[in-house]
C-alpha cells in the first residue's frame, strides 16, 4: 500500500476532523428532517406523501452543500423515509398509488437516514398520534425500546463485548413485559457502508447469529432497538409491500432480462451504496426487473414485517460516534410524555443507566457539577422510564 493509500485509509475514520464534521452535518439534517416528518404525521395524512416529504427535505438540504467542491461529493438520502404504523415492524415506504393514511391513536415509527460523502447518520423515532401523555401498553413498549437503547448507548464503548449488549437489551425488555423483535441488528457503519460486519443483536436466536466482537475507539454504530407488546417474531405477509432495496456489490451474476440489466445500471448510477426505494426508479422498468435482481442477489430487500393485529411495535434508533472523549449520540428526538404501567427497580439496569457516556476529566465532582451548571449541560446519566418520565430518545 502506498503512503497516499494509507493516508486515504486513515482519513476514513473519526481520527479525521473532516470526517467527524460530515457525520455531524448529516446528523443535523436528518434530525431536522425527522421534525419535518413528525409535523406531517396527523390523522388523515397519506403515508406515501409523508415519506416523500422526508426524502425531499434531505435531498434539498444536502443538495446545497459542497456545491463548489473540487471533487464531486455524493450526498443525500442514506435510508428512505419509512412510516410504519402499530403492528408493522418497519420499512413501510409505499409506492405512489398507495392510499394508506394515518389515524388518531396510531403508533407511528419513523425511520430515515442522510449521508454526506458516504458518512451516514440514521435515526428512528416512535410517536403516538394523540394529545396528552401516552399510557398503558403503548407507553410500556416505547419505554422498553428507549430504555434499552439508553443502556446500549452506555455499553457500546471501547473494550466492551457485543454479546454483553444483547443480554442487557433483553433484560430491559423483560422489565417492561415486552419482547425485543427478532432479527434486528445494530451495525457498525463506515464510509459508504450502512451495515458493517461488526454488529450486535438485540435478541439472540438460533437463526440469527453474529460474530463475537469488541468495540473500539473511533468506530461509528447505528443502535437500533425494536420492541413489541407481541411475541417479537414478525411475519412477512405480502412481498409486494417491499419497496426498499440495497445493491449487493459482491454479486456479479449475469442477468438475463434486458429490463433487469437496465434496472441494475440505473441503481449503480444513482444508488451504488445506499438503500433506495423503488419509488425512485422508473416504475414500469422497475416492476419488470426487480424480481430477477432480487432472486439472484443483486438487490437485497428490506421486507415489511408484521406482528399480530392488536400488537404495538416501537423503534428507537440513533447514530453514535465512539470518540476519544466518550460516546457522542448525534441523532435523536425527544419523546412524548410516557406513563408506563411498569416500574423498573432492577439494580443492574439502574447501574447501567447511571454510567456516564463522556469520559471524566480531572477537577473534582463539585467543580464539574458547577461548570456543567454554568454551561447548562445536562447529566449524561439516564433514568428508567417510569410514570410521568420524559427522556430523550
Amino acid at each position: 500500500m502506498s503512503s497516499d493509500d494509507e493516508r486515504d485509509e486513515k482519513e476514513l475514520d473519526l481520527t479525521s476532523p473532516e470526517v467527524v464534521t460530515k457525520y455531524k452535518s448529516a446528523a443535523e439534517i436528518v434530525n431536522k428532517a425527522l421534525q419535518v416528518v413528525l409535523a406531517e404525521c396527523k390523522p388523515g395524512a397519506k403515508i406515501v406523501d409523508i415519506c416523500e416529504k422526508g426524502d425531499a427535505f434531505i435531498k434539498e438540504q444536502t443538495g446545497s452543500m459542497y456545491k463548489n467542491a473540487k471533487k464531486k461529493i455524493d450526498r443525500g438520502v442514506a435510508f428512505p423515509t419509512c412510516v410504519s404504523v402499530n403492528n408493522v415492524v418497519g420499512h413501510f415506504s409505499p409506492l405512489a398509488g398507495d392510499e394508506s393514511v394515518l389515524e388518531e391513536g396510531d403508533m407511528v415509527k419513523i425511520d430515515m437516514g442522510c449521508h454526506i460523502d458516504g458518512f451516514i447518520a440514521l435515526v428512528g423515532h416512535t410517536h403516538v398520534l394523540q394529545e396528552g401523555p401516552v399510557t398503558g401498553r403503548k407507553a410500556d413498549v416505547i419505554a422498553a425500546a428507549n430504555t434499552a437503547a439508553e443502556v446500549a448507548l452506555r455499553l457500546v464503548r471501547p473494550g466492551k463485548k457485543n454479546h454483553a449488549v444483547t443480554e442487557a437489551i433483553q433484560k430491559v425488555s423483560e422489565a417492561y413485559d415486552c419482547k425485543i423483535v427478532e432479527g434486528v441488528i445494530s451495525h457498525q457503519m463506515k464510509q459508504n457502508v450502512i451495515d458493517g460486519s461488526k454488529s450486535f443483536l438485540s435478541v439472540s436466536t438460533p437463526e440469527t447469529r453474529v460474530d463475537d466482537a469488541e468495540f473500539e475507539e473511533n468506530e461509528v454504530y447505528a443502535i437500533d432497538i425494536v420492541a413489541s407488546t407481541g411475541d417479537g417474531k414478525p411475519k412477512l405477509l405480502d412481498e409486494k409491500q417491499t419497496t426498499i432495496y440495497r445493491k449487493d456489490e459482491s454479486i456479479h451474476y449475469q442477468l438475463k432480462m434486458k429490463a433487469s440489466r437496465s434496472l441494475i445500471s440505473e441503481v449503480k448510477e444513482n444508488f451504488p451504496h445506499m438503500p433506495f426505494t423503488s419509488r425512485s426508479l422508473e416504475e414500469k422498468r422497475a416492476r419488470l426487473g426487480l424480481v430477477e435482481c432480487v432472486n439472484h442477489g443483486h438487490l437485497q430487500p428490506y421486507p415489511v414485517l408484521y406482528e399480530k393485529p392488536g400488537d404495538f411495535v416501537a423503534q428507537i434508533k440513533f447514530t453514535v460516534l465512539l470518540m476519544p472523549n466518550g460516546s457522542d449520540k448525534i441523532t435523536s428526538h425527544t419523546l412524548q410524555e410516557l406513563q408506563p404501567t411498569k416500574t423498573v427497580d432492577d439494580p443492574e439496569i439502574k447501574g447501567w443507566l447511571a454510567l456516564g457516556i463522556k469520559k471524566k476529566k480531572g477537577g473534582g465532582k463539585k467543580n464539574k457539577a458547577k461548570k456543567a451548571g454554568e454551561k447548562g449541560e445536562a447529566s449524561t446519566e439516564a433514568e428508567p422510564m417510569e410514570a410521568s418520565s420524559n427522556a430523550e430518545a
Side-chain angles (χ1 to χ4, degrees), residues 79-121:
F79 198 86
T81 304
C82 301
V83 175
S84 308
V85 174
N86 297 331
N87 63 318
V88 185
V89 172
H91 304 152
F92 192 76
S93 190
L95 296 176
D98 189 272
E99 295 296 325
S100 305
V101 297
L102 297 179
E103 295 178 12
E104 181 71 26
D106 277 348
M107 179 177 282
V108 179
K109 291 166 290 298
I110 301 161
D111 190 6
M112 59 200 313
C114 171
H115 80 95
I116 292 170
D117 198 18
F119 297 105
I120 302 162

Short mmCIF file of all heavy atoms in Angstrom, two decimals, residues 79-121:
data_model
loop_
_atom_site.label_atom_id
_atom_site.label_comp_id
_atom_site.label_asym_id
_atom_site.label_seq_id
_atom_site.Cartn_x
_atom_site.Cartn_y
_atom_site.Cartn_z
N PHE A 79 -31.08 6.33 3.91
CA PHE A 79 -32.13 5.31 4.08
C PHE A 79 -33.46 6.02 3.84
O PHE A 79 -33.73 7.04 4.46
CB PHE A 79 -32.09 4.70 5.49
CG PHE A 79 -32.84 3.39 5.55
CD1 PHE A 79 -32.21 2.20 5.23
CD2 PHE A 79 -34.19 3.37 5.89
CE1 PHE A 79 -32.90 1.00 5.26
CE2 PHE A 79 -34.89 2.17 5.92
CZ PHE A 79 -34.24 0.98 5.60
N PRO A 80 -34.27 5.48 2.92
CA PRO A 80 -35.52 6.17 2.58
C PRO A 80 -36.43 6.32 3.79
O PRO A 80 -36.47 5.45 4.67
CB PRO A 80 -36.17 5.24 1.53
CG PRO A 80 -35.04 4.41 1.00
CD PRO A 80 -34.08 4.25 2.13
N THR A 81 -37.17 7.40 3.84
CA THR A 81 -38.11 7.64 4.94
C THR A 81 -39.17 6.54 4.97
O THR A 81 -39.82 6.27 3.97
CB THR A 81 -38.80 9.00 4.78
OG1 THR A 81 -37.79 10.02 4.67
CG2 THR A 81 -39.71 9.31 5.95
N CYS A 82 -39.32 5.94 6.15
CA CYS A 82 -40.35 4.91 6.36
C CYS A 82 -41.28 5.37 7.46
O CYS A 82 -40.82 5.95 8.46
CB CYS A 82 -39.72 3.58 6.77
SG CYS A 82 -38.54 2.93 5.60
N VAL A 83 -42.56 5.12 7.29
CA VAL A 83 -43.56 5.43 8.31
C VAL A 83 -44.38 4.16 8.54
O VAL A 83 -45.23 3.80 7.72
CB VAL A 83 -44.46 6.61 7.86
CG1 VAL A 83 -45.57 6.86 8.88
CG2 VAL A 83 -43.63 7.87 7.67
N SER A 84 -44.07 3.46 9.62
CA SER A 84 -44.65 2.14 9.90
C SER A 84 -45.56 2.24 11.11
O SER A 84 -45.14 2.74 12.16
CB SER A 84 -43.54 1.12 10.14
OG SER A 84 -42.60 1.14 9.07
N VAL A 85 -46.79 1.75 10.98
CA VAL A 85 -47.82 2.04 11.98
C VAL A 85 -48.16 0.79 12.81
O VAL A 85 -48.26 -0.32 12.28
CB VAL A 85 -49.09 2.56 11.25
CG1 VAL A 85 -50.25 2.73 12.21
CG2 VAL A 85 -48.78 3.89 10.57
N ASN A 86 -48.35 0.99 14.11
CA ASN A 86 -48.86 -0.02 15.04
C ASN A 86 -48.09 -1.33 15.01
O ASN A 86 -46.96 -1.40 15.46
CB ASN A 86 -50.37 -0.23 14.80
CG ASN A 86 -51.16 1.05 15.08
OD1 ASN A 86 -50.75 1.87 15.91
ND2 ASN A 86 -52.26 1.26 14.39
N ASN A 87 -48.68 -2.41 14.41
CA ASN A 87 -48.02 -3.73 14.42
C ASN A 87 -47.08 -3.94 13.23
O ASN A 87 -46.50 -5.02 13.09
CB ASN A 87 -49.07 -4.85 14.47
CG ASN A 87 -49.98 -4.87 13.24
OD1 ASN A 87 -50.41 -3.82 12.78
ND2 ASN A 87 -50.26 -6.04 12.72
N VAL A 88 -46.93 -2.92 12.37
CA VAL A 88 -45.94 -3.01 11.28
C VAL A 88 -44.57 -2.75 11.91
O VAL A 88 -44.35 -1.74 12.55
CB VAL A 88 -46.21 -1.96 10.18
CG1 VAL A 88 -45.24 -2.16 9.02
CG2 VAL A 88 -47.65 -2.04 9.69
N VAL A 89 -43.64 -3.70 11.70
CA VAL A 89 -42.34 -3.60 12.36
C VAL A 89 -41.48 -2.50 11.76
O VAL A 89 -40.78 -1.78 12.46
CB VAL A 89 -41.62 -4.97 12.32
CG1 VAL A 89 -40.19 -4.86 12.84
CG2 VAL A 89 -42.40 -5.98 13.15
N GLY A 90 -41.51 -2.35 10.42
CA GLY A 90 -40.71 -1.30 9.80
C GLY A 90 -40.65 -1.42 8.30
O GLY A 90 -41.31 -2.26 7.69
N HIS A 91 -39.88 -0.51 7.68
CA HIS A 91 -39.60 -0.50 6.23
C HIS A 91 -40.83 -0.19 5.38
O HIS A 91 -40.83 -0.49 4.18
CB HIS A 91 -39.00 -1.84 5.78
CG HIS A 91 -37.76 -2.23 6.51
ND1 HIS A 91 -37.37 -3.55 6.70
CD2 HIS A 91 -36.83 -1.46 7.14
CE1 HIS A 91 -36.25 -3.58 7.39
NE2 HIS A 91 -35.90 -2.33 7.67
N PHE A 92 -41.87 0.42 5.97
CA PHE A 92 -43.06 0.74 5.17
C PHE A 92 -42.87 2.10 4.52
O PHE A 92 -42.91 3.14 5.16
CB PHE A 92 -44.31 0.72 6.05
CG PHE A 92 -45.60 0.75 5.25
CD1 PHE A 92 -46.05 -0.39 4.59
CD2 PHE A 92 -46.34 1.92 5.13
CE1 PHE A 92 -47.24 -0.37 3.85
CE2 PHE A 92 -47.50 1.95 4.39
CZ PHE A 92 -47.95 0.80 3.74
N SER A 93 -42.64 2.07 3.22
CA SER A 93 -42.44 3.29 2.42
C SER A 93 -43.11 3.04 1.08
O SER A 93 -42.47 2.68 0.10
CB SER A 93 -40.93 3.55 2.25
OG SER A 93 -40.72 4.82 1.69
N PRO A 94 -44.44 3.19 1.02
CA PRO A 94 -45.21 2.64 -0.09
C PRO A 94 -45.02 3.36 -1.42
O PRO A 94 -44.44 4.45 -1.48
CB PRO A 94 -46.66 2.78 0.39
CG PRO A 94 -46.63 3.91 1.36
CD PRO A 94 -45.29 3.86 2.02
N LEU A 95 -45.51 2.72 -2.47
CA LEU A 95 -45.46 3.30 -3.82
C LEU A 95 -46.49 4.42 -3.95
O LEU A 95 -47.41 4.54 -3.14
CB LEU A 95 -45.70 2.21 -4.87
CG LEU A 95 -44.63 1.10 -4.90
CD1 LEU A 95 -45.02 0.02 -5.90
CD2 LEU A 95 -43.26 1.67 -5.25
N ALA A 96 -46.35 5.19 -5.02
CA ALA A 96 -47.14 6.42 -5.20
C ALA A 96 -48.65 6.19 -5.14
O ALA A 96 -49.39 7.02 -4.63
CB ALA A 96 -46.75 7.09 -6.51
N GLY A 97 -49.12 5.05 -5.62
CA GLY A 97 -50.57 4.82 -5.68
C GLY A 97 -51.18 4.35 -4.37
O GLY A 97 -52.40 4.20 -4.27
N ASP A 98 -50.37 4.13 -3.35
CA ASP A 98 -50.88 3.56 -2.10
C ASP A 98 -51.76 4.58 -1.36
O ASP A 98 -51.43 5.76 -1.29
CB ASP A 98 -49.71 3.15 -1.21
CG ASP A 98 -50.15 2.36 0.01
OD1 ASP A 98 -50.46 2.99 1.05
OD2 ASP A 98 -50.20 1.13 -0.07
N GLU A 99 -52.86 4.10 -0.82
CA GLU A 99 -53.84 5.00 -0.18
C GLU A 99 -53.81 4.94 1.34
O GLU A 99 -54.68 5.51 2.00
CB GLU A 99 -55.27 4.65 -0.66
CG GLU A 99 -55.50 4.88 -2.16
CD GLU A 99 -55.39 6.36 -2.56
OE1 GLU A 99 -55.79 7.22 -1.75
OE2 GLU A 99 -54.88 6.63 -3.65
N SER A 100 -52.82 4.28 1.93
CA SER A 100 -52.77 4.15 3.40
C SER A 100 -52.68 5.52 4.05
O SER A 100 -51.87 6.36 3.65
CB SER A 100 -51.55 3.34 3.84
OG SER A 100 -51.53 2.09 3.20
N VAL A 101 -53.52 5.73 5.09
CA VAL A 101 -53.50 7.01 5.82
C VAL A 101 -53.33 6.75 7.31
O VAL A 101 -53.60 5.66 7.81
CB VAL A 101 -54.80 7.83 5.59
CG1 VAL A 101 -54.94 8.23 4.13
CG2 VAL A 101 -56.02 7.09 6.09
N LEU A 102 -52.86 7.77 8.01
CA LEU A 102 -52.71 7.68 9.47
C LEU A 102 -54.06 7.94 10.14
O LEU A 102 -54.90 8.67 9.61
CB LEU A 102 -51.68 8.70 9.96
CG LEU A 102 -50.25 8.51 9.45
CD1 LEU A 102 -49.35 9.61 10.00
CD2 LEU A 102 -49.71 7.14 9.82
N GLU A 103 -54.22 7.35 11.33
CA GLU A 103 -55.46 7.54 12.10
C GLU A 103 -55.12 7.96 13.52
O GLU A 103 -54.03 7.68 14.03
CB GLU A 103 -56.27 6.23 12.12
CG GLU A 103 -56.76 5.80 10.75
CD GLU A 103 -57.51 4.47 10.79
OE1 GLU A 103 -57.84 4.03 11.91
OE2 GLU A 103 -57.77 3.92 9.72
N GLU A 104 -56.08 8.62 14.16
CA GLU A 104 -55.93 9.03 15.56
C GLU A 104 -55.58 7.80 16.42
O GLU A 104 -56.17 6.74 16.27
CB GLU A 104 -57.26 9.64 16.05
CG GLU A 104 -57.24 10.12 17.49
CD GLU A 104 -56.41 11.37 17.71
OE1 GLU A 104 -56.22 12.18 16.77
OE2 GLU A 104 -55.92 11.54 18.84
N GLY A 105 -54.59 7.96 17.29
CA GLY A 105 -54.20 6.86 18.18
C GLY A 105 -53.15 5.93 17.60
O GLY A 105 -52.66 5.04 18.30
N ASP A 106 -52.80 6.10 16.32
CA ASP A 106 -51.78 5.24 15.71
C ASP A 106 -50.43 5.43 16.38
O ASP A 106 -50.04 6.55 16.73
CB ASP A 106 -51.60 5.57 14.21
CG ASP A 106 -52.63 4.89 13.33
OD1 ASP A 106 -53.34 3.99 13.82
OD2 ASP A 106 -52.72 5.26 12.14
N MET A 107 -49.72 4.31 16.55
CA MET A 107 -48.31 4.37 16.98
C MET A 107 -47.46 4.38 15.72
O MET A 107 -47.43 3.42 14.96
CB MET A 107 -47.96 3.18 17.87
CG MET A 107 -46.51 3.20 18.31
SD MET A 107 -46.09 1.85 19.43
CE MET A 107 -46.79 2.46 20.95
N VAL A 108 -46.77 5.49 15.49
CA VAL A 108 -46.06 5.72 14.23
C VAL A 108 -44.55 5.62 14.46
O VAL A 108 -44.01 6.30 15.33
CB VAL A 108 -46.40 7.13 13.67
CG1 VAL A 108 -45.66 7.39 12.37
CG2 VAL A 108 -47.91 7.28 13.47
N LYS A 109 -43.91 4.75 13.69
CA LYS A 109 -42.45 4.64 13.74
C LYS A 109 -41.87 5.30 12.49
O LYS A 109 -42.23 4.94 11.38
CB LYS A 109 -42.02 3.17 13.77
CG LYS A 109 -42.37 2.49 15.07
CD LYS A 109 -42.27 0.99 14.99
CE LYS A 109 -43.34 0.36 14.12
NZ LYS A 109 -44.72 0.57 14.57
N ILE A 110 -40.98 6.26 12.69
CA ILE A 110 -40.33 6.97 11.58
C ILE A 110 -38.87 6.53 11.56
O ILE A 110 -38.19 6.56 12.59
CB ILE A 110 -40.42 8.50 11.76
CG1 ILE A 110 -41.89 8.93 11.83
CG2 ILE A 110 -39.68 9.22 10.65
CD1 ILE A 110 -42.10 10.30 12.43
N ASP A 111 -38.41 6.11 10.39
CA ASP A 111 -37.04 5.60 10.23
C ASP A 111 -36.46 6.27 8.99
O ASP A 111 -37.09 6.26 7.93
CB ASP A 111 -37.12 4.08 10.05
CG ASP A 111 -35.77 3.39 10.11
OD1 ASP A 111 -34.76 4.05 10.42
OD2 ASP A 111 -35.73 2.16 9.86
N MET A 112 -35.28 6.89 9.10
CA MET A 112 -34.73 7.62 7.95
C MET A 112 -33.22 7.82 8.11
O MET A 112 -32.68 7.62 9.20
CB MET A 112 -35.45 8.96 7.78
CG MET A 112 -35.37 9.87 8.96
SD MET A 112 -36.66 11.18 9.01
CE MET A 112 -36.65 11.83 7.37
N GLY A 113 -32.56 8.21 7.02
CA GLY A 113 -31.12 8.41 7.09
C GLY A 113 -30.63 9.40 6.06
O GLY A 113 -31.25 9.59 5.00
N CYS A 114 -29.49 10.04 6.38
CA CYS A 114 -28.86 11.02 5.50
C CYS A 114 -27.37 10.70 5.45
O CYS A 114 -26.81 10.21 6.43
CB CYS A 114 -29.10 12.42 6.07
SG CYS A 114 -28.17 13.74 5.25
N HIS A 115 -26.74 10.98 4.32
CA HIS A 115 -25.28 10.82 4.27
C HIS A 115 -24.65 11.99 3.53
O HIS A 115 -25.26 12.61 2.66
CB HIS A 115 -24.88 9.49 3.61
CG HIS A 115 -24.93 9.53 2.11
ND1 HIS A 115 -23.83 9.78 1.32
CD2 HIS A 115 -25.96 9.37 1.24
CE1 HIS A 115 -24.17 9.76 0.05
NE2 HIS A 115 -25.46 9.51 -0.03
N ILE A 116 -23.43 12.28 3.91
CA ILE A 116 -22.61 13.26 3.20
C ILE A 116 -21.28 12.58 2.91
O ILE A 116 -20.58 12.15 3.85
CB ILE A 116 -22.42 14.54 4.04
CG1 ILE A 116 -23.77 15.27 4.14
CG2 ILE A 116 -21.38 15.45 3.40
CD1 ILE A 116 -23.80 16.41 5.11
N ASP A 117 -20.98 12.43 1.62
CA ASP A 117 -19.75 11.76 1.20
C ASP A 117 -19.69 10.33 1.74
O ASP A 117 -18.62 9.81 2.05
CB ASP A 117 -18.53 12.57 1.66
CG ASP A 117 -17.26 12.17 0.89
OD1 ASP A 117 -17.38 11.56 -0.18
OD2 ASP A 117 -16.15 12.47 1.40
N GLY A 118 -20.86 9.70 1.87
CA GLY A 118 -20.90 8.31 2.34
C GLY A 118 -20.85 8.15 3.84
O GLY A 118 -20.91 7.02 4.34
N PHE A 119 -20.77 9.24 4.60
CA PHE A 119 -20.76 9.17 6.06
C PHE A 119 -22.20 9.33 6.54
O PHE A 119 -22.82 10.37 6.33
CB PHE A 119 -19.81 10.22 6.65
CG PHE A 119 -18.38 9.99 6.22
CD1 PHE A 119 -17.80 10.79 5.25
CD2 PHE A 119 -17.64 8.94 6.75
CE1 PHE A 119 -16.50 10.57 4.83
CE2 PHE A 119 -16.34 8.71 6.33
CZ PHE A 119 -15.76 9.52 5.37
N ILE A 120 -22.71 8.29 7.19
CA ILE A 120 -24.15 8.08 7.36
C ILE A 120 -24.62 8.43 8.77
O ILE A 120 -24.00 8.05 9.76
CB ILE A 120 -24.48 6.59 7.08
CG1 ILE A 120 -24.03 6.20 5.66
CG2 ILE A 120 -25.96 6.31 7.28
CD1 ILE A 120 -23.93 4.69 5.45
N ALA A 121 -25.76 9.11 8.84
CA ALA A 121 -26.45 9.35 10.11
C ALA A 121 -27.87 8.81 9.98
O ALA A 121 -28.62 9.23 9.09
CB ALA A 121 -26.47 10.84 10.45
#
